[in-house]
Amino acid sequence: MHYKEQIDINRLPKHVAIIMDGNGRWAKQRGMERSMGHQAGAETVHIVAEAASLIGIKYLTLYTFSTENWNRPTDEVTALMSLLMDSIEEQTFMKNDICFKIIGEREKLPVEVRERLERCEYNTSINKGMYLTLAVSYSSRWEMTEAVRQIGEKIKQGEMLPEEITDETISQHLATSYMSDPDLLIRTGGEFRLSNYLLWQSAYSELYFCNTYWPDFKEEEFYKAICDYQQRERRYGKTSEQL
Ligand code: IPE
Ligand code: IPE
Ligand code: MG
């Protein structure tokens, strides 16, 4: 039986976040340039986005380019930036009722990339089916530092008192304020780390690691991860009996 048929549609994760890792090694394994791996990975983005929207996932958040990735060789960064621009398929988003968003340090992106992504955000903003968010030039520590700055500024302006800061205040000042916390966080490519991704938001996420390189992670692998998630018991500190 296919994994898709095993999914309980009433117990879907509302938010799935993915660390799309392994493009470079996928290419190397085939004697190709790393950029070919990124190209293949871009196709997987569309496949997985469609698979997620098809079953009714509300938020899909993909780690596309980290703050730390700026330190890669210039050629690779340039290739990734142009790929990012070229692989945005607005028509597919419209067809699938997908609202496209980006989170990250926009100011660091080349101006044409930023404009292209922001145009897509604007044009798809009426869509309500699924939020597809790309984290580009994103890192959790950047995001949290920004949030602290903003909160500090509000206190300085007298709009807020320090004792009024709650858990919720912090969530609301993060770039992810429009989404719920990830229920399921997937990392492909065999590494067991979070690489500065959604650290605050993943406090209670179910983690799923697999060895598959991102370009090979297709619908079935995605649905397999959902099935795995549905086997878990989310206790949030309680005992099994209390649930
Ligand atoms: C993930 O693949 C894509 C980005 C980080 C941009 P990698 O490029 O990290 O692939 P590996 O980890 O070297 O195989
Ligand atoms: C994490 O992948 C960032 C993205 C998937 C965009 P990396 O391959 O850059 O992660 P590290 O640095 O090896 O942990
Ligand atoms: Mg990697």
Side-chain angles (χ1 to χ4, degrees):
M1 192 158 78
H2 293 303
Y3 286 106
K4 190 178 171 209
E5 285 132 39
Q6 294 178 38
I7 296 173
D8 176 355
I9 237 60
N10 300 311
R11 287 177 50 246
L12 282 177
K14 191 172 176 190
H15 182 177
V16 180
I18 308 184
I19 302 174
M20 312 185 287
D21 197 20
N23 293 350
R25 281 164 287 160
W26 181 92
K28 195 176 173 190
Q29 213 175 42
R30 287 163 175 74
M32 298 166 157
E33 301 263 339
R34 291 178 58 85
S35 63
M36 299 300 287
H38 296 313
Q39 223 155 44
E43 282 173 40
T44 307
V45 169
H46 291 288
I47 292 169
V48 170
E50 257 188 294
S53 87
L54 187 73
I55 58 168
I57 301 292
K58 193 69 202 164
Y59 303 101
L60 180 68
T61 308
L62 306 175
Y63 206 4
T64 308
F65 190 88
S66 71
T67 301
E68 290 76 16
N69 288 149
W70 288 115
N71 299 321
R72 292 198 177 186
T74 319
D75 290 4
E76 185 168 343
V77 172
T78 309
L80 278 164
M81 286 299 141
S82 58
L83 181 64
L84 188 56
M85 229 174 24
D86 298 342
S87 53
I88 298 301
E89 288 177 14
E90 226 160 273
Q91 280 167 344
T92 319
F93 298 153
M94 295 312 289
K95 192 184 87 196
N96 294 305
D97 197 22
I98 291 172
C99 175
F100 174 83
K101 297 249 193 203
I102 53 169
I103 52 168
E105 207 173 350
R106 293 165 189 249
E107 297 71 27
K108 276 199 177 170
L109 297 170
V111 64
E112 66 278 16
V113 175
R114 182 176 171 182
E115 280 174 4
R116 176 83 188 85
L117 297 176
E118 289 185 344
R119 190 155 17 99
C120 188
E121 281 188 308
Y122 180 78
N123 292 339
T124 63
S125 60
I126 45 158
N127 295 340
K128 291 279 173 293
M130 181 179 85
Y131 286 85
L132 170 65
T133 304
L134 300 189
V136 281
S137 192
Y138 172 90
S139 72
S140 220
R141 287 190 172 190
W142 160 80
E143 181 189 40
M144 290 197 257
T145 308
E146 280 302 308
V148 172
R149 276 207 193 109
Q150 283 175 32
I151 295 168
E153 194 57 39
K154 286 188 182 166
I155 292 171
K156 192 172 138 197
Q157 301 300 329
E159 294 168 28
M160 187 188 275
L161 294 167
E163 54 271 33
E164 286 169 353
I165 299 173
T166 62
D167 187 302
E168 198 45 43
T169 314
I170 295 168
S171 294
Q172 280 164 5
H173 286 83
L174 297 174
T176 53
S177 59
Y178 58 94
M179 30 172 127
S180 55
D181 286 340
D183 301 291
L184 171 63
L185 194 156
I186 300 172
R187 183 174 188 139
T188 66
E191 311 290 355
F192 297 101
R193 53 179 178 253
L194 294 177
S195 305
N196 220 345
Y197 193 44
L198 303 176
L199 301 180
W200 171 272
Q201 299 87 334
S202 65
Y204 257 114
S205 301
E206 294 298 329
L207 306 181
Y208 180 89
F209 296 96
C210 68
N211 288 326
T212 312
Y213 294 144
W214 176 250
D216 289 330
F217 190 87
K218 299 287 154 69
E219 295 101 323
E220 269 301 282
E221 288 259 3
F222 179 71
Y223 293 141
K224 184 180 172 189
I226 307 274
C227 288
D228 192 280
Y229 164 84
Q230 293 190 330
Q231 302 300 314
R232 318 263 184 106
E233 183 178 68
R234 304 185 76 186
R235 289 190 289 277
Y236 298 100
K238 296 184 179 174
T239 68
S240 212
E241 291 69 29
Q242 283 178 294
L243 299 175

mmCIF file with all atom_site columns, all heavy atoms in Angstrom, residues 168-191:
data_model
loop_
_atom_site.group_PDB
_atom_site.id
_atom_site.type_symbol
_atom_site.label_atom_id
_atom_site.label_alt_id
_atom_site.label_comp_id
_atom_site.label_asym_id
_atom_site.label_entity_id
_atom_site.label_seq_id
_atom_site.pdbx_PDB_ins_code
_atom_site.Cartn_x
_atom_site.Cartn_y
_atom_site.Cartn_z
_atom_site.occupancy
_atom_site.B_iso_or_equiv
_atom_site.pdbx_formal_charge
_atom_site.auth_seq_id
_atom_site.auth_comp_id
_atom_site.auth_asym_id
_atom_site.auth_atom_id
_atom_site.pdbx_PDB_model_num
ATOM 1   N N   . GLU A 1 168 ? 4.119  34.555 23.972 1.00 0.00 ? 168 GLU A N   1
ATOM 2   C CA  . GLU A 1 168 ? 3.352  34.967 22.791 1.00 0.00 ? 168 GLU A CA  1
ATOM 3   C C   . GLU A 1 168 ? 3.936  36.244 22.155 1.00 0.00 ? 168 GLU A C   1
ATOM 4   O O   . GLU A 1 168 ? 3.982  36.369 20.944 1.00 0.00 ? 168 GLU A O   1
ATOM 5   C CB  . GLU A 1 168 ? 1.902  35.159 23.239 1.00 0.00 ? 168 GLU A CB  1
ATOM 6   C CG  . GLU A 1 168 ? 0.862  35.171 22.150 1.00 0.00 ? 168 GLU A CG  1
ATOM 7   C CD  . GLU A 1 168 ? 1.022  34.062 21.106 1.00 0.00 ? 168 GLU A CD  1
ATOM 8   O OE1 . GLU A 1 168 ? 1.292  32.891 21.466 1.00 0.00 ? 168 GLU A OE1 1
ATOM 9   O OE2 . GLU A 1 168 ? 0.905  34.398 19.913 1.00 0.00 ? 168 GLU A OE2 1
ATOM 10  N N   . THR A 1 169 ? 4.393  37.177 23.008 1.00 0.00 ? 169 THR A N   1
ATOM 11  C CA  . THR A 1 169 ? 4.982  38.419 22.492 1.00 0.00 ? 169 THR A CA  1
ATOM 12  C C   . THR A 1 169 ? 6.162  38.079 21.590 1.00 0.00 ? 169 THR A C   1
ATOM 13  O O   . THR A 1 169 ? 6.332  38.646 20.510 1.00 0.00 ? 169 THR A O   1
ATOM 14  C CB  . THR A 1 169 ? 5.517  39.307 23.655 1.00 0.00 ? 169 THR A CB  1
ATOM 15  O OG1 . THR A 1 169 ? 4.551  39.361 24.687 1.00 0.00 ? 169 THR A OG1 1
ATOM 16  C CG2 . THR A 1 169 ? 5.901  40.688 23.193 1.00 0.00 ? 169 THR A CG2 1
ATOM 17  N N   . ILE A 1 170 ? 6.970  37.142 22.042 1.00 0.00 ? 170 ILE A N   1
ATOM 18  C CA  . ILE A 1 170 ? 8.157  36.769 21.270 1.00 0.00 ? 170 ILE A CA  1
ATOM 19  C C   . ILE A 1 170 ? 7.738  36.139 19.940 1.00 0.00 ? 170 ILE A C   1
ATOM 20  O O   . ILE A 1 170 ? 8.192  36.555 18.877 1.00 0.00 ? 170 ILE A O   1
ATOM 21  C CB  . ILE A 1 170 ? 9.091  35.868 22.105 1.00 0.00 ? 170 ILE A CB  1
ATOM 22  C CG1 . ILE A 1 170 ? 9.626  36.689 23.288 1.00 0.00 ? 170 ILE A CG1 1
ATOM 23  C CG2 . ILE A 1 170 ? 10.247 35.326 21.253 1.00 0.00 ? 170 ILE A CG2 1
ATOM 24  C CD1 . ILE A 1 170 ? 10.321 35.914 24.369 1.00 0.00 ? 170 ILE A CD1 1
ATOM 25  N N   . SER A 1 171 ? 6.824  35.190 19.988 1.00 0.00 ? 171 SER A N   1
ATOM 26  C CA  . SER A 1 171 ? 6.336  34.558 18.749 1.00 0.00 ? 171 SER A CA  1
ATOM 27  C C   . SER A 1 171 ? 5.815  35.602 17.757 1.00 0.00 ? 171 SER A C   1
ATOM 28  O O   . SER A 1 171 ? 6.051  35.497 16.556 1.00 0.00 ? 171 SER A O   1
ATOM 29  C CB  . SER A 1 171 ? 5.217  33.566 19.055 1.00 0.00 ? 171 SER A CB  1
ATOM 30  O OG  . SER A 1 171 ? 5.731  32.488 19.804 1.00 0.00 ? 171 SER A OG  1
ATOM 31  N N   . GLN A 1 172 ? 5.112  36.587 18.288 1.00 0.00 ? 172 GLN A N   1
ATOM 32  C CA  . GLN A 1 172 ? 4.515  37.602 17.410 1.00 0.00 ? 172 GLN A CA  1
ATOM 33  C C   . GLN A 1 172 ? 5.544  38.524 16.759 1.00 0.00 ? 172 GLN A C   1
ATOM 34  O O   . GLN A 1 172 ? 5.237  39.195 15.779 1.00 0.00 ? 172 GLN A O   1
ATOM 35  C CB  . GLN A 1 172 ? 3.494  38.442 18.195 1.00 0.00 ? 172 GLN A CB  1
ATOM 36  C CG  . GLN A 1 172 ? 2.154  37.758 18.341 1.00 0.00 ? 172 GLN A CG  1
ATOM 37  C CD  . GLN A 1 172 ? 1.293  38.403 19.416 1.00 0.00 ? 172 GLN A CD  1
ATOM 38  O OE1 . GLN A 1 172 ? 1.679  39.434 20.003 1.00 0.00 ? 172 GLN A OE1 1
ATOM 39  N NE2 . GLN A 1 172 ? 0.146  37.807 19.684 1.00 0.00 ? 172 GLN A NE2 1
ATOM 40  N N   . HIS A 1 173 ? 6.741  38.574 17.328 1.00 0.00 ? 173 HIS A N   1
ATOM 41  C CA  . HIS A 1 173 ? 7.771  39.433 16.740 1.00 0.00 ? 173 HIS A CA  1
ATOM 42  C C   . HIS A 1 173 ? 8.745  38.664 15.856 1.00 0.00 ? 173 HIS A C   1
ATOM 43  O O   . HIS A 1 173 ? 9.709  39.229 15.349 1.00 0.00 ? 173 HIS A O   1
ATOM 44  C CB  . HIS A 1 173 ? 8.514  40.204 17.839 1.00 0.00 ? 173 HIS A CB  1
ATOM 45  C CG  . HIS A 1 173 ? 7.682  41.320 18.400 1.00 0.00 ? 173 HIS A CG  1
ATOM 46  N ND1 . HIS A 1 173 ? 6.748  41.111 19.382 1.00 0.00 ? 173 HIS A ND1 1
ATOM 47  C CD2 . HIS A 1 173 ? 7.604  42.642 18.078 1.00 0.00 ? 173 HIS A CD2 1
ATOM 48  C CE1 . HIS A 1 173 ? 6.145  42.253 19.661 1.00 0.00 ? 173 HIS A CE1 1
ATOM 49  N NE2 . HIS A 1 173 ? 6.647  43.204 18.882 1.00 0.00 ? 173 HIS A NE2 1
ATOM 50  N N   . LEU A 1 174 ? 8.490  37.391 15.652 1.00 0.00 ? 174 LEU A N   1
ATOM 51  C CA  . LEU A 1 174 ? 9.336  36.611 14.757 1.00 0.00 ? 174 LEU A CA  1
ATOM 52  C C   . LEU A 1 174 ? 8.794  36.718 13.332 1.00 0.00 ? 174 LEU A C   1
ATOM 53  O O   . LEU A 1 174 ? 7.625  37.061 13.120 1.00 0.00 ? 174 LEU A O   1
ATOM 54  C CB  . LEU A 1 174 ? 9.377  35.141 15.208 1.00 0.00 ? 174 LEU A CB  1
ATOM 55  C CG  . LEU A 1 174 ? 9.992  34.888 16.596 1.00 0.00 ? 174 LEU A CG  1
ATOM 56  C CD1 . LEU A 1 174 ? 9.841  33.427 16.991 1.00 0.00 ? 174 LEU A CD1 1
ATOM 57  C CD2 . LEU A 1 174 ? 11.464 35.294 16.625 1.00 0.00 ? 174 LEU A CD2 1
ATOM 58  N N   . ALA A 1 175 ? 9.652  36.395 12.363 1.00 0.00 ? 175 ALA A N   1
ATOM 59  C CA  . ALA A 1 175 ? 9.250  36.471 10.954 1.00 0.00 ? 175 ALA A CA  1
ATOM 60  C C   . ALA A 1 175 ? 8.122  35.491 10.646 1.00 0.00 ? 175 ALA A C   1
ATOM 61  O O   . ALA A 1 175 ? 7.410  35.634 9.662  1.00 0.00 ? 175 ALA A O   1
ATOM 62  C CB  . ALA A 1 175 ? 10.460 36.178 10.064 1.00 0.00 ? 175 ALA A CB  1
ATOM 63  N N   . THR A 1 176 ? 7.945  34.494 11.502 1.00 0.00 ? 176 THR A N   1
ATOM 64  C CA  . THR A 1 176 ? 6.943  33.452 11.293 1.00 0.00 ? 176 THR A CA  1
ATOM 65  C C   . THR A 1 176 ? 5.621  33.761 11.983 1.00 0.00 ? 176 THR A C   1
ATOM 66  O O   . THR A 1 176 ? 4.800  32.861 12.165 1.00 0.00 ? 176 THR A O   1
ATOM 67  C CB  . THR A 1 176 ? 7.478  32.119 11.852 1.00 0.00 ? 176 THR A CB  1
ATOM 68  O OG1 . THR A 1 176 ? 7.885  32.354 13.213 1.00 0.00 ? 176 THR A OG1 1
ATOM 69  C CG2 . THR A 1 176 ? 8.670  31.594 11.077 1.00 0.00 ? 176 THR A CG2 1
ATOM 70  N N   . SER A 1 177 ? 5.415  35.028 12.376 1.00 0.00 ? 177 SER A N   1
ATOM 71  C CA  . SER A 1 177 ? 4.250  35.366 13.211 1.00 0.00 ? 177 SER A CA  1
ATOM 72  C C   . SER A 1 177 ? 2.907  34.960 12.602 1.00 0.00 ? 177 SER A C   1
ATOM 73  O O   . SER A 1 177 ? 1.941  34.777 13.326 1.00 0.00 ? 177 SER A O   1
ATOM 74  C CB  . SER A 1 177 ? 4.251  36.860 13.522 1.00 0.00 ? 177 SER A CB  1
ATOM 75  O OG  . SER A 1 177 ? 4.211  37.579 12.313 1.00 0.00 ? 177 SER A OG  1
ATOM 76  N N   . TYR A 1 178 ? 2.846  34.812 11.286 1.00 0.00 ? 178 TYR A N   1
ATOM 77  C CA  . TYR A 1 178 ? 1.562  34.468 10.638 1.00 0.00 ? 178 TYR A CA  1
ATOM 78  C C   . TYR A 1 178 ? 1.273  32.964 10.617 1.00 0.00 ? 178 TYR A C   1
ATOM 79  O O   . TYR A 1 178 ? 0.257  32.534 10.102 1.00 0.00 ? 178 TYR A O   1
ATOM 80  C CB  . TYR A 1 178 ? 1.513  35.025 9.203  1.00 0.00 ? 178 TYR A CB  1
ATOM 81  C CG  . TYR A 1 178 ? 2.625  34.530 8.311  1.00 0.00 ? 178 TYR A CG  1
ATOM 82  C CD1 . TYR A 1 178 ? 2.442  33.413 7.499  1.00 0.00 ? 178 TYR A CD1 1
ATOM 83  C CD2 . TYR A 1 178 ? 3.867  35.178 8.282  1.00 0.00 ? 178 TYR A CD2 1
ATOM 84  C CE1 . TYR A 1 178 ? 3.457  32.954 6.690  1.00 0.00 ? 178 TYR A CE1 1
ATOM 85  C CE2 . TYR A 1 178 ? 4.896  34.716 7.480  1.00 0.00 ? 178 TYR A CE2 1
ATOM 86  C CZ  . TYR A 1 178 ? 4.673  33.609 6.692  1.00 0.00 ? 178 TYR A CZ  1
ATOM 87  O OH  . TYR A 1 178 ? 5.695  33.148 5.896  1.00 0.00 ? 178 TYR A OH  1
ATOM 88  N N   . MET A 1 179 ? 2.200  32.172 11.127 1.00 0.00 ? 179 MET A N   1
ATOM 89  C CA  . MET A 1 179 ? 1.964  30.731 11.106 1.00 0.00 ? 179 MET A CA  1
ATOM 90  C C   . MET A 1 179 ? 1.940  30.127 12.513 1.00 0.00 ? 179 MET A C   1
ATOM 91  O O   . MET A 1 179 ? 2.396  30.745 13.470 1.00 0.00 ? 179 MET A O   1
ATOM 92  C CB  . MET A 1 179 ? 3.008  30.000 10.253 1.00 0.00 ? 179 MET A CB  1
ATOM 93  C CG  . MET A 1 179 ? 4.365  30.617 10.196 1.00 0.00 ? 179 MET A CG  1
ATOM 94  S SD  . MET A 1 179 ? 5.552  29.569 9.365  1.00 0.00 ? 179 MET A SD  1
ATOM 95  C CE  . MET A 1 179 ? 6.221  30.663 8.141  1.00 0.00 ? 179 MET A CE  1
ATOM 96  N N   . SER A 1 180 ? 1.424  28.910 12.591 1.00 0.00 ? 180 SER A N   1
ATOM 97  C CA  . SER A 1 180 ? 1.517  28.166 13.849 1.00 0.00 ? 180 SER A CA  1
ATOM 98  C C   . SER A 1 180 ? 2.916  27.540 13.903 1.00 0.00 ? 180 SER A C   1
ATOM 99  O O   . SER A 1 180 ? 3.623  27.521 12.906 1.00 0.00 ? 180 SER A O   1
ATOM 100 C CB  . SER A 1 180 ? 0.442  27.085 13.892 1.00 0.00 ? 180 SER A CB  1
ATOM 101 O OG  . SER A 1 180 ? 0.533  26.256 12.753 1.00 0.00 ? 180 SER A OG  1
ATOM 102 N N   . ASP A 1 181 ? 3.290  27.018 15.063 1.00 0.00 ? 181 ASP A N   1
ATOM 103 C CA  . ASP A 1 181 ? 4.603  26.372 15.176 1.00 0.00 ? 181 ASP A CA  1
ATOM 104 C C   . ASP A 1 181 ? 4.615  25.074 14.356 1.00 0.00 ? 181 ASP A C   1
ATOM 105 O O   . ASP A 1 181 ? 3.583  24.430 14.220 1.00 0.00 ? 181 ASP A O   1
ATOM 106 C CB  . ASP A 1 181 ? 4.904  26.043 16.643 1.00 0.00 ? 181 ASP A CB  1
ATOM 107 C CG  . ASP A 1 181 ? 5.271  27.279 17.457 1.00 0.00 ? 181 ASP A CG  1
ATOM 108 O OD1 . ASP A 1 181 ? 5.659  28.306 16.844 1.00 0.00 ? 181 ASP A OD1 1
ATOM 109 O OD2 . ASP A 1 181 ? 5.165  27.218 18.696 1.00 0.00 ? 181 ASP A OD2 1
ATOM 110 N N   . PRO A 1 182 ? 5.789  24.687 13.829 1.00 0.00 ? 182 PRO A N   1
ATOM 111 C CA  . PRO A 1 182 ? 5.820  23.450 13.052 1.00 0.00 ? 182 PRO A CA  1
ATOM 112 C C   . PRO A 1 182 ? 5.464  22.230 13.908 1.00 0.00 ? 182 PRO A C   1
ATOM 113 O O   . PRO A 1 182 ? 5.965  22.082 15.019 1.00 0.00 ? 182 PRO A O   1
ATOM 114 C CB  . PRO A 1 182 ? 7.270  23.335 12.558 1.00 0.00 ? 182 PRO A CB  1
ATOM 115 C CG  . PRO A 1 182 ? 7.989  24.533 13.023 1.00 0.00 ? 182 PRO A CG  1
ATOM 116 C CD  . PRO A 1 182 ? 7.093  25.364 13.872 1.00 0.00 ? 182 PRO A CD  1
ATOM 117 N N   . ASP A 1 183 ? 4.574  21.400 13.378 1.00 0.00 ? 183 ASP A N   1
ATOM 118 C CA  . ASP A 1 183 ? 4.240  20.152 14.057 1.00 0.00 ? 183 ASP A CA  1
ATOM 119 C C   . ASP A 1 183 ? 5.284  19.106 13.711 1.00 0.00 ? 183 ASP A C   1
ATOM 120 O O   . ASP A 1 183 ? 5.656  18.294 14.536 1.00 0.00 ? 183 ASP A O   1
ATOM 121 C CB  . ASP A 1 183 ? 2.854  19.682 13.583 1.00 0.00 ? 183 ASP A CB  1
ATOM 122 C CG  . ASP A 1 183 ? 1.814  20.725 13.893 1.00 0.00 ? 183 ASP A CG  1
ATOM 123 O OD1 . ASP A 1 183 ? 1.530  20.916 15.078 1.00 0.00 ? 183 ASP A OD1 1
ATOM 124 O OD2 . ASP A 1 183 ? 1.330  21.392 12.950 1.00 0.00 ? 183 ASP A OD2 1
ATOM 125 N N   . LEU A 1 184 ? 5.728  19.153 12.469 1.00 0.00 ? 184 LEU A N   1
ATOM 126 C CA  . LEU A 1 184 ? 6.691  18.182 11.974 1.00 0.00 ? 184 LEU A CA  1
ATOM 127 C C   . LEU A 1 184 ? 7.852  18.916 11.317 1.00 0.00 ? 184 LEU A C   1
ATOM 128 O O   . LEU A 1 184 ? 7.634  19.798 10.477 1.00 0.00 ? 184 LEU A O   1
ATOM 129 C CB  . LEU A 1 184 ? 5.993  17.272 10.942 1.00 0.00 ? 184 LEU A CB  1
ATOM 130 C CG  . LEU A 1 184 ? 6.858  16.312 10.127 1.00 0.00 ? 184 LEU A CG  1
ATOM 131 C CD1 . LEU A 1 184 ? 7.554  15.284 11.020 1.00 0.00 ? 184 LEU A CD1 1
ATOM 132 C CD2 . LEU A 1 184 ? 6.004  15.588 9.076  1.00 0.00 ? 184 LEU A CD2 1
ATOM 133 N N   . LEU A 1 185 ? 9.077  18.579 11.732 1.00 0.00 ? 185 LEU A N   1
ATOM 134 C CA  . LEU A 1 185 ? 10.261 19.174 11.120 1.00 0.00 ? 185 LEU A CA  1
ATOM 135 C C   . LEU A 1 185 ? 11.103 18.059 10.501 1.00 0.00 ? 185 LEU A C   1
ATOM 136 O O   . LEU A 1 185 ? 11.551 17.153 11.201 1.00 0.00 ? 185 LEU A O   1
ATOM 137 C CB  . LEU A 1 185 ? 11.059 19.970 12.166 1.00 0.00 ? 185 LEU A CB  1
ATOM 138 C CG  . LEU A 1 185 ? 12.137 20.908 11.618 1.00 0.00 ? 185 LEU A CG  1
ATOM 139 C CD1 . LEU A 1 185 ? 12.422 22.016 12.626 1.00 0.00 ? 185 LEU A CD1 1
ATOM 140 C CD2 . LEU A 1 185 ? 13.452 20.217 11.292 1.00 0.00 ? 185 LEU A CD2 1
ATOM 141 N N   . ILE A 1 186 ? 11.248 18.120 9.190  1.00 0.00 ? 186 ILE A N   1
ATOM 142 C CA  . ILE A 1 186 ? 11.961 17.081 8.442  1.00 0.00 ? 186 ILE A CA  1
ATOM 143 C C   . ILE A 1 186 ? 13.338 17.589 8.041  1.00 0.00 ? 186 ILE A C   1
ATOM 144 O O   . ILE A 1 186 ? 13.470 18.737 7.618  1.00 0.00 ? 186 ILE A O   1
ATOM 145 C CB  . ILE A 1 186 ? 11.179 16.737 7.141  1.00 0.00 ? 186 ILE A CB  1
ATOM 146 C CG1 . ILE A 1 186 ? 9.772  16.223 7.467  1.00 0.00 ? 186 ILE A CG1 1
ATOM 147 C CG2 . ILE A 1 186 ? 11.948 15.742 6.264  1.00 0.00 ? 186 ILE A CG2 1
ATOM 148 C CD1 . ILE A 1 186 ? 8.864  16.030 6.245  1.00 0.00 ? 186 ILE A CD1 1
ATOM 149 N N   . ARG A 1 187 ? 14.372 16.750 8.181  1.00 0.00 ? 187 ARG A N   1
ATOM 150 C CA  . ARG A 1 187 ? 15.657 17.086 7.568  1.00 0.00 ? 187 ARG A CA  1
ATOM 151 C C   . ARG A 1 187 ? 16.092 15.930 6.677  1.00 0.00 ? 187 ARG A C   1
ATOM 152 O O   . ARG A 1 187 ? 16.239 14.804 7.139  1.00 0.00 ? 187 ARG A O   1
ATOM 153 C CB  . ARG A 1 187 ? 16.758 17.367 8.590  1.00 0.00 ? 187 ARG A CB  1
ATOM 154 C CG  . ARG A 1 187 ? 18.062 17.776 7.872  1.00 0.00 ? 187 ARG A CG  1
ATOM 155 C CD  . ARG A 1 187 ? 19.181 18.210 8.794  1.00 0.00 ? 187 ARG A CD  1
ATOM 156 N NE  . ARG A 1 187 ? 20.280 18.754 7.990  1.00 0.00 ? 187 ARG A NE  1
ATOM 157 C CZ  . ARG A 1 187 ? 21.004 19.823 8.292  1.00 0.00 ? 187 ARG A CZ  1
ATOM 158 N NH1 . ARG A 1 187 ? 20.770 20.484 9.381  1.00 0.00 ? 187 ARG A NH1 1
ATOM 159 N NH2 . ARG A 1 187 ? 21.971 20.236 7.484  1.00 0.00 ? 187 ARG A NH2 1
ATOM 160 N N   . THR A 1 188 ? 16.314 16.220 5.408  1.00 0.00 ? 188 THR A N   1
ATOM 161 C CA  . THR A 1 188 ? 16.829 15.214 4.481  1.00 0.00 ? 188 THR A CA  1
ATOM 162 C C   . THR A 1 188 ? 18.352 15.285 4.496  1.00 0.00 ? 188 THR A C   1
ATOM 163 O O   . THR A 1 188 ? 18.935 16.195 5.078  1.00 0.00 ? 188 THR A O   1
ATOM 164 C CB  . THR A 1 188 ? 16.327 15.462 3.042  1.00 0.00 ? 188 THR A CB  1
ATOM 165 O OG1 . THR A 1 188 ? 16.884 16.700 2.567  1.00 0.00 ? 188 THR A OG1 1
ATOM 166 C CG2 . THR A 1 188 ? 14.809 15.532 2.978  1.00 0.00 ? 188 THR A CG2 1
ATOM 167 N N   . GLY A 1 189 ? 19.008 14.308 3.872  1.00 0.00 ? 189 GLY A N   1
ATOM 168 C CA  . GLY A 1 189 ? 20.457 14.389 3.662  1.00 0.00 ? 189 GLY A CA  1
ATOM 169 C C   . GLY A 1 189 ? 21.329 13.811 4.758  1.00 0.00 ? 189 GLY A C   1
ATOM 170 O O   . GLY A 1 189 ? 22.555 13.931 4.697  1.00 0.00 ? 189 GLY A O   1
ATOM 171 N N   . GLY A 1 190 ? 20.712 13.201 5.763  1.00 0.00 ? 190 GLY A N   1
ATOM 172 C CA  . GLY A 1 190 ? 21.489 12.405 6.715  1.00 0.00 ? 190 GLY A CA  1
ATOM 173 C C   . GLY A 1 190 ? 22.172 13.109 7.869  1.00 0.00 ? 190 GLY A C   1
ATOM 174 O O   . GLY A 1 190 ? 22.798 12.444 8.698  1.00 0.00 ? 190 GLY A O   1
ATOM 175 N N   . GLU A 1 191 ? 22.092 14.435 7.966  1.00 0.00 ? 191 GLU A N   1
ATOM 176 C CA  . GLU A 1 191 ? 22.719 15.103 9.123  1.00 0.00 ? 191 GLU A CA  1
ATOM 177 C C   . GLU A 1 191 ? 21.696 15.247 10.246 1.00 0.00 ? 191 GLU A C   1
ATOM 178 O O   . GLU A 1 191 ? 20.521 15.459 9.998  1.00 0.00 ? 191 GLU A O   1
ATOM 179 C CB  . GLU A 1 191 ? 23.215 16.518 8.761  1.00 0.00 ? 191 GLU A CB  1
ATOM 180 C CG  . GLU A 1 191 ? 24.043 16.632 7.509  1.00 0.00 ? 191 GLU A CG  1
ATOM 181 C CD  . GLU A 1 191 ? 25.425 16.004 7.617  1.00 0.00 ? 191 GLU A CD  1
ATOM 182 O OE1 . GLU A 1 191 ? 25.796 15.549 8.728  1.00 0.00 ? 191 GLU A OE1 1
ATOM 183 O OE2 . GLU A 1 191 ? 26.117 15.951 6.592  1.00 0.00 ? 191 GLU A OE2 1
#
